[in-house]
Amino acid sequence: MKIYFDQDGVLAEFRYVPLFVLYIWGYFLFLRPHRNILKAMKSLSEMPDTDVYVLTSVLEDHPTAKKEKLRWLKVYAPFVSQDHIIFVPCGMNKADYVNCGESDILVDDYGVNTRNWPGAYVKVSRDEKDMQKERAKHAHCINPQMNPVMIVKTILSSSKH
């Protein structure tokens, strides 16, 4: 099974800011990590028959976004190998950039990405209050404040196999 994690809003806190702020050097490099999701991701990466990937959108015209995201991952997710980091041009369908099977899982905070995903998915909410609203639309939800063990259980229970 493959599990794909989005970076901004899932592994790292994403702040809603004016577009120009995203282009300021260091914006992606200094995003605060969601440590419980990162711990869950590490646990999943250590399970047999489970491959963990980062599937993240990137602003193609940003001079340093890709480098900043890679550097951030080296600090907070060093257990993810370079060949398991996939960059998707911002605005494109993530499913078009991977060979996804029905048993593969996407963990993402952006609803458009989860709606277009052919496999199972887990929706990431900002907090418990937001998660309660999301559960009406998405059977499998997590938030960064959850216990890493519960995050792992929720992700694994979402699989369609």
Side-chain angles (χ1 to χ4, degrees), residues 1 3 5 37-52 79 105 107 148 151-153 155-156:
M1 160 183 5
I3 305 174
F5 285 83
I37 295 177
L38 286 160
K39 287 177 185 175
M41 181 187 193
K42 184 169 185 350
S43 294
L44 289 162
S45 74
E46 294 168 350
M47 292 181 172
D49 302 320
T50 302
D51 289 321
V52 169
F79 51 88
I105 302 167
V107 181
I151 292 172
V152 168
K153 286 181 181 180
I155 291 170
L156 293 176

Side-chain angles (χ1 to χ4, degrees), residues 25-122:
W25 180 90
Y27 176 83
F28 295 100
L29 181 60
F30 297 115
L31 289 175
R32 195 177 102 220
H34 284 157
R35 295 192 188 280
N36 289 348
I37 295 177
L38 286 160
K39 287 177 185 175
M41 181 187 193
K42 184 169 185 350
S43 294
L44 289 162
S45 74
E46 294 168 350
M47 292 181 172
D49 302 320
T50 302
D51 289 321
V52 169
Y53 291 80
V54 174
L55 182 62
T56 185
S57 296
V58 68
L59 298 163
E60 290 192 298
D61 62 342
H62 190 298
T64 62
K66 191 180 283 189
K67 289 177 186 174
E68 289 180 31
K69 286 182 169 219
L70 282 170
R71 194 162 151 206
W72 189 97
L73 287 166
K74 285 181 183 176
V75 171
Y76 296 107
F79 51 88
V80 178
S81 65
Q82 182 84 25
D83 63 331
H84 281 209
I85 300 170
I86 303 163
F87 290 101
V88 176
C90 196
M92 301 303 288
N93 182 5
K94 288 183 175 181
D96 292 341
Y97 288 79
V98 296
N99 185 13
C100 176
E102 279 196 17
S103 66
D104 297 336
I105 302 167
L106 175 65
V107 181
D108 206 306
D109 64 317
Y110 188 48
V112 172
N113 291 331
T114 59
R115 281 193 295 275
N116 293 325
W117 190 257
Y121 65 85
V122 174

